[in-house]
PDB file of all heavy atoms in Angstrom:
ATOM      1  N   CYS A 567       9.117   1.863 -11.277  1.00 88.00           N
ATOM      2  CA  CYS A 567       8.246   0.977 -12.057  1.00 88.00           C
ATOM      3  C   CYS A 567       8.103   1.490 -13.487  1.00 88.00           C
ATOM      4  O   CYS A 567       8.079   0.706 -14.447  1.00 88.00           O
ATOM      5  CB  CYS A 567       6.875   0.872 -11.398  1.00 88.00           C
ATOM      6  SG  CYS A 567       6.870   0.124  -9.746  1.00 88.00           S
ATOM      7  N   PHE A 568       8.001   2.805 -13.630  1.00 82.00           N
ATOM      8  CA  PHE A 568       7.906   3.452 -14.938  1.00 82.00           C
ATOM      9  C   PHE A 568       9.096   3.049 -15.803  1.00 82.00           C
ATOM     10  O   PHE A 568       8.942   2.604 -16.953  1.00 82.00           O
ATOM     11  CB  PHE A 568       7.859   4.962 -14.703  1.00 82.00           C
ATOM     12  CG  PHE A 568       7.588   5.798 -15.932  1.00 82.00           C
ATOM     13  CD1 PHE A 568       7.456   7.174 -15.814  1.00 82.00           C
ATOM     14  CD2 PHE A 568       7.469   5.240 -17.187  1.00 82.00           C
ATOM     15  CE1 PHE A 568       7.206   7.962 -16.922  1.00 82.00           C
ATOM     16  CE2 PHE A 568       7.226   6.016 -18.309  1.00 82.00           C
ATOM     17  CZ  PHE A 568       7.095   7.376 -18.174  1.00 82.00           C
ATOM     18  N   PHE A 569      10.303   3.210 -15.256  1.00 80.00           N
ATOM     19  CA  PHE A 569      11.518   2.867 -16.001  1.00 80.00           C
ATOM     20  C   PHE A 569      11.541   1.388 -16.358  1.00 80.00           C
ATOM     21  O   PHE A 569      11.894   1.009 -17.485  1.00 80.00           O
ATOM     22  CB  PHE A 569      12.748   3.238 -15.176  1.00 80.00           C
ATOM     23  CG  PHE A 569      14.048   2.811 -15.806  1.00 80.00           C
ATOM     24  CD1 PHE A 569      14.587   3.522 -16.868  1.00 80.00           C
ATOM     25  CD2 PHE A 569      14.725   1.696 -15.340  1.00 80.00           C
ATOM     26  CE1 PHE A 569      15.777   3.126 -17.451  1.00 80.00           C
ATOM     27  CE2 PHE A 569      15.916   1.297 -15.923  1.00 80.00           C
ATOM     28  CZ  PHE A 569      16.447   2.015 -16.983  1.00 80.00           C
ATOM     29  N   ALA A 570      11.160   0.533 -15.407  1.00 85.00           N
ATOM     30  CA  ALA A 570      11.165  -0.907 -15.658  1.00 85.00           C
ATOM     31  C   ALA A 570      10.214  -1.277 -16.792  1.00 85.00           C
ATOM     32  O   ALA A 570      10.542  -2.100 -17.656  1.00 85.00           O
ATOM     33  CB  ALA A 570      10.791  -1.657 -14.378  1.00 85.00           C
ATOM     34  N   VAL A 571       9.025  -0.657 -16.802  1.00 86.00           N
ATOM     35  CA  VAL A 571       8.037  -0.967 -17.837  1.00 86.00           C
ATOM     36  C   VAL A 571       8.517  -0.486 -19.200  1.00 86.00           C
ATOM     37  O   VAL A 571       8.424  -1.212 -20.206  1.00 86.00           O
ATOM     38  CB  VAL A 571       6.678  -0.330 -17.481  1.00 86.00           C
ATOM     39  CG1 VAL A 571       5.710  -0.433 -18.654  1.00 86.00           C
ATOM     40  CG2 VAL A 571       6.080  -1.009 -16.265  1.00 86.00           C
ATOM     41  N   ILE A 572       9.049   0.730 -19.265  1.00 77.00           N
ATOM     42  CA  ILE A 572       9.497   1.275 -20.547  1.00 77.00           C
ATOM     43  C   ILE A 572      10.689   0.502 -21.101  1.00 77.00           C
ATOM     44  O   ILE A 572      10.772   0.221 -22.303  1.00 77.00           O
ATOM     45  CB  ILE A 572       9.850   2.772 -20.406  1.00 77.00           C
ATOM     46  CG1 ILE A 572       8.610   3.578 -20.012  1.00 77.00           C
ATOM     47  CG2 ILE A 572      10.442   3.318 -21.692  1.00 77.00           C
ATOM     48  CD1 ILE A 572       7.463   3.456 -20.986  1.00 77.00           C
ATOM     49  N   LYS A 573      11.607   0.123 -20.211  1.00 77.00           N
ATOM     50  CA  LYS A 573      12.814  -0.584 -20.657  1.00 77.00           C
ATOM     51  C   LYS A 573      12.509  -2.011 -21.075  1.00 77.00           C
ATOM     52  O   LYS A 573      13.134  -2.553 -21.995  1.00 77.00           O
ATOM     53  CB  LYS A 573      13.857  -0.565 -19.527  1.00 77.00           C
ATOM     54  CG  LYS A 573      15.234  -1.019 -19.963  1.00 77.00           C
ATOM     55  CD  LYS A 573      15.823  -0.116 -21.025  1.00 77.00           C
ATOM     56  CE  LYS A 573      17.229  -0.564 -21.432  1.00 77.00           C
ATOM     57  NZ  LYS A 573      17.722   0.188 -22.607  1.00 77.00           N
ATOM     58  N   THR A 574      11.563  -2.668 -20.392  1.00 82.00           N
ATOM     59  CA  THR A 574      11.241  -4.059 -20.702  1.00 82.00           C
ATOM     60  C   THR A 574      10.165  -4.195 -21.773  1.00 82.00           C
ATOM     61  O   THR A 574       9.932  -5.312 -22.261  1.00 82.00           O
ATOM     62  CB  THR A 574      10.772  -4.800 -19.437  1.00 82.00           C
ATOM     63  OG1 THR A 574       9.607  -4.138 -18.909  1.00 82.00           O
ATOM     64  CG2 THR A 574      11.868  -4.818 -18.387  1.00 82.00           C
ATOM     65  N   GLY A 575       9.489  -3.084 -22.116  1.00 81.00           N
ATOM     66  CA  GLY A 575       8.419  -3.153 -23.110  1.00 81.00           C
ATOM     67  C   GLY A 575       8.857  -3.753 -24.435  1.00 81.00           C
ATOM     68  O   GLY A 575       8.249  -4.726 -24.914  1.00 81.00           O
ATOM     69  N   PRO A 576       9.917  -3.208 -25.077  1.00 78.00           N
ATOM     70  CA  PRO A 576      10.361  -3.799 -26.349  1.00 78.00           C
ATOM     71  C   PRO A 576      10.756  -5.263 -26.228  1.00 78.00           C
ATOM     72  O   PRO A 576      10.531  -6.049 -27.160  1.00 78.00           O
ATOM     73  CB  PRO A 576      11.567  -2.921 -26.727  1.00 78.00           C
ATOM     74  CG  PRO A 576      11.337  -1.621 -26.031  1.00 78.00           C
ATOM     75  CD  PRO A 576      10.675  -1.987 -24.744  1.00 78.00           C
ATOM     76  N   THR A 577      11.354  -5.643 -25.102  1.00 83.00           N
ATOM     77  CA  THR A 577      11.729  -7.047 -24.904  1.00 83.00           C
ATOM     78  C   THR A 577      10.495  -7.939 -24.841  1.00 83.00           C
ATOM     79  O   THR A 577      10.474  -9.040 -25.419  1.00 83.00           O
ATOM     80  CB  THR A 577      12.553  -7.195 -23.615  1.00 83.00           C
ATOM     81  OG1 THR A 577      13.696  -6.346 -23.678  1.00 83.00           O
ATOM     82  CG2 THR A 577      13.011  -8.635 -23.430  1.00 83.00           C
ATOM     83  N   LEU A 578       9.478  -7.466 -24.123  1.00 85.00           N
ATOM     84  CA  LEU A 578       8.230  -8.235 -24.059  1.00 85.00           C
ATOM     85  C   LEU A 578       7.583  -8.348 -25.434  1.00 85.00           C
ATOM     86  O   LEU A 578       7.090  -9.418 -25.826  1.00 85.00           O
ATOM     87  CB  LEU A 578       7.257  -7.580 -23.075  1.00 85.00           C
ATOM     88  CG  LEU A 578       7.387  -7.931 -21.602  1.00 85.00           C
ATOM     89  CD1 LEU A 578       6.413  -7.117 -20.773  1.00 85.00           C
ATOM     90  CD2 LEU A 578       7.150  -9.411 -21.370  1.00 85.00           C
ATOM     91  N   PHE A 579       7.565  -7.235 -26.189  1.00 82.00           N
ATOM     92  CA  PHE A 579       6.991  -7.260 -27.528  1.00 82.00           C
ATOM     93  C   PHE A 579       7.704  -8.305 -28.401  1.00 82.00           C
ATOM     94  O   PHE A 579       7.072  -9.040 -29.161  1.00 82.00           O
ATOM     95  CB  PHE A 579       7.090  -5.882 -28.192  1.00 82.00           C
ATOM     96  CG  PHE A 579       6.204  -4.847 -27.580  1.00 82.00           C
ATOM     97  CD1 PHE A 579       6.577  -3.511 -27.551  1.00 82.00           C
ATOM     98  CD2 PHE A 579       4.974  -5.194 -27.030  1.00 82.00           C
ATOM     99  CE1 PHE A 579       5.760  -2.547 -26.992  1.00 82.00           C
ATOM    100  CE2 PHE A 579       4.150  -4.235 -26.468  1.00 82.00           C
ATOM    101  CZ  PHE A 579       4.538  -2.911 -26.443  1.00 82.00           C
ATOM    102  N   ALA A 580       9.034  -8.361 -28.273  1.00 82.00           N
ATOM    103  CA  ALA A 580       9.810  -9.276 -29.108  1.00 82.00           C
ATOM    104  C   ALA A 580       9.697 -10.725 -28.633  1.00 82.00           C
ATOM    105  O   ALA A 580       9.772 -11.656 -29.437  1.00 82.00           O
ATOM    106  CB  ALA A 580      11.282  -8.850 -29.124  1.00 82.00           C
ATOM    107  N   THR A 581       9.505 -10.923 -27.328  1.00 87.00           N
ATOM    108  CA  THR A 581       9.497 -12.277 -26.765  1.00 87.00           C
ATOM    109  C   THR A 581       8.139 -12.951 -26.862  1.00 87.00           C
ATOM    110  O   THR A 581       8.020 -14.078 -27.369  1.00 87.00           O
ATOM    111  CB  THR A 581       9.958 -12.243 -25.298  1.00 87.00           C
ATOM    112  OG1 THR A 581      11.231 -11.608 -25.208  1.00 87.00           O
ATOM    113  CG2 THR A 581      10.048 -13.660 -24.734  1.00 87.00           C
ATOM    114  N   VAL A 582       7.097 -12.291 -26.347  1.00 86.00           N
ATOM    115  CA  VAL A 582       5.766 -12.910 -26.304  1.00 86.00           C
ATOM    116  C   VAL A 582       4.785 -12.251 -27.261  1.00 86.00           C
ATOM    117  O   VAL A 582       3.617 -12.635 -27.303  1.00 86.00           O
ATOM    118  CB  VAL A 582       5.199 -12.869 -24.868  1.00 86.00           C
ATOM    119  CG1 VAL A 582       6.079 -13.662 -23.922  1.00 86.00           C
ATOM    120  CG2 VAL A 582       5.041 -11.430 -24.372  1.00 86.00           C
ATOM    121  N   GLY A 583       5.247 -11.270 -28.024  1.00 82.00           N
ATOM    122  CA  GLY A 583       4.367 -10.598 -28.965  1.00 82.00           C
ATOM    123  C   GLY A 583       3.523  -9.534 -28.291  1.00 82.00           C
ATOM    124  O   GLY A 583       3.445  -9.452 -27.055  1.00 82.00           O
ATOM    125  N   ILE A 584       2.880  -8.689 -29.085  1.00 81.00           N
ATOM    126  CA  ILE A 584       2.053  -7.615 -28.528  1.00 81.00           C
ATOM    127  C   ILE A 584       0.858  -8.197 -27.784  1.00 81.00           C
ATOM    128  O   ILE A 584       0.483  -7.724 -26.708  1.00 81.00           O
ATOM    129  CB  ILE A 584       1.605  -6.657 -29.640  1.00 81.00           C
ATOM    130  CG1 ILE A 584       2.802  -5.845 -30.131  1.00 81.00           C
ATOM    131  CG2 ILE A 584       0.513  -5.710 -29.154  1.00 81.00           C
ATOM    132  CD1 ILE A 584       2.469  -4.777 -31.129  1.00 81.00           C
ATOM    133  N   ASN A 585       0.256  -9.260 -28.362  1.00 82.00           N
ATOM    134  CA  ASN A 585      -0.904  -9.845 -27.687  1.00 82.00           C
ATOM    135  C   ASN A 585      -0.511 -10.454 -26.354  1.00 82.00           C
ATOM    136  O   ASN A 585      -1.229 -10.329 -25.346  1.00 82.00           O
ATOM    137  CB  ASN A 585      -1.560 -10.898 -28.583  1.00 82.00           C
ATOM    138  CG  ASN A 585      -0.611 -12.031 -28.935  1.00 82.00           C
ATOM    139  OD1 ASN A 585       0.450 -11.784 -29.507  1.00 82.00           O
ATOM    140  ND2 ASN A 585      -0.968 -13.256 -28.611  1.00 82.00           N
TER     141      ASN A 585
END
Side-chain angles (χ1 to χ4, degrees):
C567 297
F568 187 177
F569 175 77
V571 170
I572 297 302
K573 192 62 179 171
T574 59
T577 303
L578 275 176
F579 291 148
T581 305
V582 298
I584 289 186
N585 60 302

